[in-house]
Amino acid sequence: MTDSTVIPTEGEAGFGDYVALLKPRVMSLVVFTALVGLLVAPVPVHPVIGFAAILFIAIGGGASGALNMWWDADIDRIMTRTRARPIPSGKVGAEEALALGLALSGFSVVMLGLAANVMAGALLAFTIFFYVVIYTMWLKRWTPQNIVIGGAAGAFPPMIGWAVATGGISVESVLMFLLTFMWTPPHFWALALFMKSDYNQAGVPMLTVTHGHDATRRHILVYTVLLAPVGLALAFTSIGGPATLAAAVVLNLMFLRGAWRIFRRTTEAALADGYAVEKSVFKFSLFYLFLMFGALLVDATLRGLGWGIF
Amino acid sequence: MAITKLHELHGRRFGRNLGVGLCLAAFVALVFGLTLAKVSGGGGTQAFDHVVRPELAQEGQGG
């Protein structure tokens, strides 16, 4: 993007601008993991109720995205990557985003509580609170560990999906939470290493800026090591099975190898080949999460067919 | 007086109204579907019907 002047569009946003406020790309991860949490649960859910529940979880996630953009409008205006978002570009007013976010938060929580159960609704409410208040308002601008704890917000959806089916929390749902929770730091920091960003200018403490690239490389390795046992443990719970075990072994070995390679590199070496390793590990981390949750689905299907082993 | 000249802004406004309208229609359909799902799988749903129902009395209570 070149330097450009933002022309205010007379405060008349199109429908798509409001959709953009709900961060549709983040929503796709929320929908997928929540759906897996719902489908692998041992209690069958009526398809219409399941569909409605996933929809309300997605809307709740979108609402927290709108509230995040409302609060962060000042730093979004500074950073090139976020300058085109609806509020900094002048398409949607900040107070409109606040109103939409609050309204959709209340709507999604109440509707999920009515469609599924109170536990699912309460978990969704907590997720929105965690993302907006704990992460966006508090941690993001205060500590370089922001995304470690903030990642919890993105990790809740499978727990909510599980609660929709079972009405409760269990070892399985907590492990699904931990899978995304431990995955977020290495995934995000691999991105932060090669992405030229202006977090510094915006005053957001990002680990790569505050502690340097070498510290970030160490952190990636440590969190990838901590991530490995979570997937393996999942394989031996009631929702695990041969597919989850195979995926956990193979994917964790690949992720560990990538993290090790990142750890061994110096910034000079990374600059020399244009951050090739960091980029490939980042891409792989996307597959990692998708395939791990996909493996849980495969095992659930196998159990449904009566081919369960464990 | 009716608007004779349409601005690009009107198109955007129409798109927004259409979007909200479709969302509302979809929500109505969803609540209807939820109602069918809940009622058909409702099991022991009972309404107040001003008739004595012995099955509601707990053990040990007279009645």
Side-chain angles (χ1 to χ4, degrees), chain A residues 9-10 12-13 107 114-115, chain B residues 9 12-13 16 27 30 37-38:
Chain A
T9 48
E10 300 163 54
E12 285 282 343
F107 169 82
L114 290 172
Chain B
L9 185 150
R12 237 182 303 151
R13 201 176 280 170
R16 204 170 63 186
F27 183 60
L30 186 67
K38 294 254 178 201

Side-chain angles (χ1 to χ4, degrees), chain A residues 194 198 212 268 292 304:
Chain A
F194 65 79
D198 22 23
E268 291 73 43
M292 279 303 296

